[in-house]
Amino acid sequence: MNEKTADEAYGYLYRSEDKIYPREVKGRFATLRRLAMFLLLGIFYGGPWLTWEGRQAILFDLPARKFYIFGLTLWPQDFIYLALLLIVAAISLFFFTALAGRLWCGFACPQTVWTEAFTWIERAIEGDRGKRIKLDKAPWTASKLAKKTAKQFFWISLSLFTGYTFVGYFTAIHTLTAEILSLSVGPWEGFWILFYGFATYGNAGFMREQVCKYMCPYARFQSSMFDSDTLIITYDTERGEPRGGRRREADPRKLGLGDCIDCTMCVQVCPTGIDIRKGLQYECIACAACIDACDQVMDKVQYPRGLIRYATENALQKKGYHLLRPRTLVYSAILATLAAVLISSLAIREPVILDVIRDRNTLYRDVGRRGIENGYTLRIVNKENEAHDYTLSVAGIEGIALESKSEFSVDAESVFTLPISVTAPHEYAIGGQKIEFRLESADGSGIAIVEESRFRGPTT
Ligand code: SF4
Ligand code: SF4
């Protein structure tokens, strides 16, 4: 391989990335993207401030091992619901990707949303693409220093606020705020505020499109979910080529030209710096900025809109569009099943857990006229937000009786441990037999749960 060929083949691997200066674009999809940004950032920053029944509505209390999501309190035993929720989210992503390509990347991914916010700050301070390129090339002056300092100030402030909000989902936000104001933030909270703030600053301020191109695994495998009926952002080559400049009043057909005037606006607005006219590329995050840019150009030259548009491969080849196809049917069936399982299991979720642990030290004790005695430890977890009075009973053997207290109260969201003794008459307490403990609420809340255990007695 000669030197030139080696450079051509491998040179790009070692070249530093060119900085991308995306031009501001206005249009339907830009408005949609901005709305998504305000909505999603509003939910993220506002989330920890919501209250529900006197406490933070969304709080992942790791030390207490309890997750509060509005009226729902998830205990470690309930993590199956979180796992199910994550699986539903993943299948939804696959489903929407099969239907409409990288919708998530273009409009809802945190990387896109925060990059949009950071770019908005950058534009407000340094100006649009041309001004930013000029500013970066210009020598350092007081004005340049002031602009760069102002940008960094707002970027760092937003990053730290993001880190603080993120930690506010794990440490009650009011407590965290008081700790920050009194400069008494704990080491872990301080670490995560700085870590998450730094990640936001680095990813949205500097890495930007490189996160999508080189770090995001989804970008690598999302194309495997595409088929010929997936909506993708595409340049209509048949209509656009051959591209070329022309006078506004010229008839492109007479000049042998297509509708693309080769103005490169679609490239200038692209946040990943690609040319969509070269076809579908994995770097494309489907933000639709090039659609807005090209539509504006088409309006100016009075050609129909849609030279770059959402289309499917089949639609471009005039083969129609098929919404119902094996891939979408399989994804929707899995999604519907999992969603039904999740909703129904949440609906029938027990508000109390009763664990019965047999005393392992003594198999059984002969207590004379009272019969044979077994010892147990009951662990009652009241998952509800209010305290409950309970009545405990035991059944399964003729004459079986509780020797310990059978009525007690368990505080809201707490674990109550109760050692108990159970006796059964000699004549019925033979060998190992199945018994049932029944826990019922005594305050009219209708809670009832049954847990099985074994009662041991002499074998003869
Ligand atoms: S090619 Fe178009 S849709 Fe894809 S990232 Fe660039 S501007 Fe966005
Ligand atoms: S914006 Fe439209 S007309 Fe301009 S180069 Fe891109 S595809 Fe061609």
Side-chain angles (χ1 to χ4, degrees):
M1 192 181 280
N2 64 37
E3 198 181 318
K4 193 175 172 219
T5 316
D7 275 355
E8 278 172 6
Y10 305 120
Y12 73 95
L13 288 174
Y14 304 103
R15 206 185 64 212
S16 62
E17 286 280 332
D18 292 331
K19 187 171 173 187
I20 295 170
Y21 297 86
R23 183 185 284 278
E24 186 176 17
V25 65
K26 292 195 168 71
R28 291 172 293 163
F29 295 107
T31 309
L32 209 60
R33 224 173 29 255
R34 226 146 278 157
L35 282 177
M37 177 186 84
F38 282 119
L39 180 73
L40 294 170
L41 289 185
I43 292 172
F44 175 76
Y45 290 117
W49 296 98
L50 297 175
T51 51
W52 187 269
E53 292 174 353
R55 58 161 171 74
Q56 191 166 318
I58 307 167
L59 180 66
F60 305 113
D61 190 345
L62 293 178
R65 298 201 195 110
K66 284 183 225 164
F67 286 4
Y68 300 99
I69 304 168
F70 293 90
L72 189 69
T73 305
L74 294 176
W75 291 68
Q77 296 86 343
D78 298 324
F79 274 33
I80 180 72
Y81 300 114
L82 281 185
L84 265 175
L85 196 64
L86 288 177
I87 296 171
V88 167
I91 303 286
S92 306
L93 187 64
F94 298 166
F95 177 66
F96 286 109
T97 304
L99 272 188
R102 295 176 70 174
L103 263 190
W104 163 261
C105 298
F107 295 89
C109 172
Q111 177 63 21
T112 305
V113 171
W114 265 283
T115 299
E116 183 88 17
F118 272 58
T119 313
W120 184 79
I121 293 173
E122 189 171 59
R123 251 185 223 127
I125 295 169
E126 295 183 355
D128 202 8
R129 176 184 155 88
K131 286 186 180 163
R132 293 208 307 278
I133 295 175
K134 217 166 130 195
L135 186 72
D136 278 0
K137 283 189 181 152
W140 282 96
T141 59
S143 153
K144 179 170 174 173
L145 186 65
K147 283 184 179 170
K148 293 284 178 192
T149 309
K151 180 177 87 173
Q152 292 300 329
F153 171 77
F154 285 109
W155 276 9
I156 292 170
S157 304
L158 181 61
S159 303
L160 288 176
F161 187 63
T162 305
Y164 152 74
T165 305
F166 177 75
V167 174
Y169 281 97
F170 297 88
T171 298
I173 194 92
H174 291 285
T175 312
L176 184 65
T177 308
E179 284 175 2
I180 290 174
L181 293 178
S182 61
L183 301 178
S184 59
V185 182
W188 279 112
E189 281 125 348
F191 170 79
W192 284 111
I193 290 174
L194 292 177
F195 181 85
Y196 201 77
F198 177 73
T200 309
Y201 177 73
N203 288 345
F206 296 97
M207 305 286 285
R208 295 192 176 175
E209 77 289 344
Q210 293 180 46
V211 174
C212 311
K213 281 160 74 171
Y214 305 118
M215 290 163 70
C216 176
Y218 175 59
R220 303 278 156 179
F221 71 79
Q222 43 85 26
S223 59
S224 64
M225 289 166 236
F226 285 15
D227 59 24
S228 307
D229 284 301
T230 299
L231 269 182
I232 48 173
I233 291 173
T234 184
Y235 165 71
D236 190 341
T237 313
E238 203 179 302
R239 183 185 147 192
E241 300 296 317
R243 66 186 80 156
R246 80 280 320 255
R247 297 166 71 90
R248 186 175 290 196
E249 61 284 358
D251 180 354
R253 307 296 167 243
K254 282 188 186 156
L255 295 171
L257 291 171
D259 280 357
C260 174
I261 64 168
D262 207 12
C263 62
T264 71
M265 287 301 282
C266 52
V267 183
Q268 292 182 38
V269 298
C270 179
T272 62
I274 59 167
D275 186 346
I276 190 71
R277 296 172 299 169
K278 291 181 182 162
L280 180 64
Q281 294 146 73
Y282 82 90
E283 294 97 332
C284 175
I285 57 165
C287 66
C290 52
I291 299 184
D292 283 335
C294 192
D295 279 351
Q296 280 180 0
V297 174
M298 293 293 108
D299 288 350
K300 271 192 200 134
V301 294
Q302 297 181 344
Y303 295 168
R305 285 181 164 202
L307 178 57
I308 301 176
R309 62 179 184 274
Y310 273 104
T312 68
E313 203 183 310
N314 276 342
L316 281 176
Q317 293 169 2
K318 317 252 177 322
K319 289 185 188 162
Y321 174 58
H322 313 96
L323 176 68
L324 300 180
R325 47 196 203 270
R327 189 181 294 253
T328 53
L329 288 175
V330 168
Y331 284 147
S332 44
I334 297 174
L335 198 57
T337 310
L338 284 175
V341 169
L342 180 62
I343 293 168
S344 55
S345 55
L346 274 175
I348 58 169
R349 174 176 168 263
E350 294 287 0
V352 64
I353 297 174
L354 172 63
D355 284 334
V356 180
I357 304 143
R358 259 188 62 81
D359 185 351
R360 296 195 189 281
N361 295 329
T362 320
L363 202 55
Y364 62 86
R365 260 194 313 269
D366 192 329
V367 286
R369 277 191 298 165
R370 278 168 40 227
I372 299 295
E373 183 184 76
N374 279 205
Y376 303 84
T377 301
L378 301 192
R379 194 170 147 271
I380 297 140
V381 182
N382 177 11
K383 297 197 237 169
E384 298 236 300
N385 299 337
E386 54 194 68
H388 284 297
D389 295 330
Y390 293 102
T391 307
L392 182 71
S393 56
V394 63
I397 299 176
E398 182 85 40
I400 193 165
L402 271 176
E403 295 295 320
S404 321
K405 68 172 179 177
S406 61
E407 288 180 358
F408 46 85
S409 180
V410 183
D411 289 341
E413 296 174 3
S414 62
V415 182
F416 181 70
T417 306
L418 180 69
I420 57 161
S421 307
V422 174
T423 53
H426 285 108
E427 59 270 38
Y428 300 117
I430 311 291
Q433 299 182 62
K434 195 172 80 178
I435 57 168
E436 281 182 350
F437 288 95
R438 183 177 173 83
L439 186 72
E440 271 179 291
S441 58
D443 50 13
S445 51
I447 299 169
I449 186 165
V450 174
E451 186 66 21
E452 287 183 0
S453 187
R454 292 201 86 74
F455 189 94
R456 300 263 172 206
T459 47
T460 50

